[in-house]
Amino acid sequence: MVWSFFSRALAHRSALVRLTTAAVVGLVVFTAAWTIAYAILPEGATRFTLGLLPALDARANGANVATTLFVWNVGFGFGVIGLASLYSVGPISLAYLAPWTWLVRFGVALGTNSFALFVPGARVPPLDLRVIFSHAGIPELIAYIVLATVLANASLWRQRRISDRHLVRIRRLRDIRLTRLELSLVCVAFALLAGAALIETSQIASLQSL
């Protein structure tokens, strides 16, 4: 019953219904990952998987670092979501899987202090509001959920179930039409990524000056 409700909501005609549902699922998995990681994993447990140190000095080249982060997040993050959105399993677009997976990863990183740039001993307890309202990862991940929501009903191929290897073509690329609301949400997603890049550049500069 619960799964049926969420599957219908994630494929709803209204982008706002899809966005609300995807955000609720994302919040649940993010909170669970953060809580479990903080409770049972050691500090730095996944640091080796969470990226390389920035090659640029954010203190001297802030604009270059912000641009690099924005271009990377658009190219990789939006690129993965865009590719995944071409496929769906039943009514559920695979576009949702990337931001939900990254929310789990981010929750683990917060709970274990596993970022590439970090302050030793600065683990963050679950749902610390200071982090939620200040960390660059939050608007970045919201942007990914927003884009996944927009593209959720734009699949070109569909599997009837996850065990079914037969793909059925359900539309062509030229048949995709976005509503004005969906186009507006795409702009919001880009704006959120730009803001996240500026915030992250500032935070990198602060950590590099320690």
Side-chain angles (χ1 to χ4, degrees):
M1 181 68 71
V2 174
W3 171 247
S4 177
F5 168 78
F6 275 103
S7 64
R8 289 196 303 270
L10 289 170
H12 200 277
R13 293 183 61 183
S14 169
L16 293 181
V17 172
R18 300 197 304 269
L19 178 58
T20 301
T21 308
V24 169
V25 174
L27 179 61
V28 170
V29 299
F30 169 60
T31 302
W34 190 352
T35 302
I36 293 171
Y38 185 81
I40 68 175
L41 295 179
E43 183 174 12
T46 63
R47 189 168 296 143
F48 68 94
T49 68
L50 293 175
L52 301 175
L53 291 172
L56 299 176
D57 186 348
R59 295 167 298 177
N61 301 291
N64 288 342
V65 172
T67 301
T68 299
L69 291 170
F70 176 74
V71 171
W72 166 257
N73 289 335
V74 169
F76 177 75
F78 280 9
V80 168
I81 293 169
L83 182 62
S85 73
L86 300 178
Y87 305 88
S88 63
V89 177
I92 308 301
S93 171
L94 297 187
Y96 291 119
L97 296 185
W100 288 342
T101 300
W102 294 333
L103 277 165
V104 171
R105 181 175 172 177
F106 185 57
V108 172
L110 286 172
T112 60
N113 193 21
S114 291
F115 295 99
L117 287 173
F118 67 99
V119 177
R123 298 182 70 177
V124 183
L127 300 182
D128 186 314
L129 293 180
R130 293 172 299 175
V131 171
I132 291 175
F133 288 112
S134 65
H135 202 290
I138 298 297
E140 179 182 325
L141 288 163
I142 292 174
Y144 294 148
I145 288 180
V146 169
L147 185 67
T149 294
V150 170
L151 300 178
N153 287 349
S155 299
L156 304 185
W157 291 276
R158 175 176 294 166
Q159 293 176 232
R160 294 182 62 183
R161 60 185 64 87
I162 197 168
S163 59
D164 183 5
R165 297 185 179 181
H166 181 62
L167 284 174
V168 177
R169 184 97 185 213
I170 56 176
R171 67 172 58 86
R172 297 188 179 277
L173 192 61
R174 64 174 178 268
D175 298 327
I176 296 175
R177 298 288 187 273
L178 299 181
T179 65
R180 289 184 179 180
L181 174 59
E182 290 169 339
L183 290 172
S184 297
L185 288 174
V186 171
C187 295
V188 169
F190 275 95
L192 285 167
L193 273 196
L198 293 174
I199 295 171
E200 188 169 0
T201 298
S202 175
Q203 293 174 343
I204 290 172
S206 297
L207 288 172
Q208 288 179 334
S209 66
L210 295 177

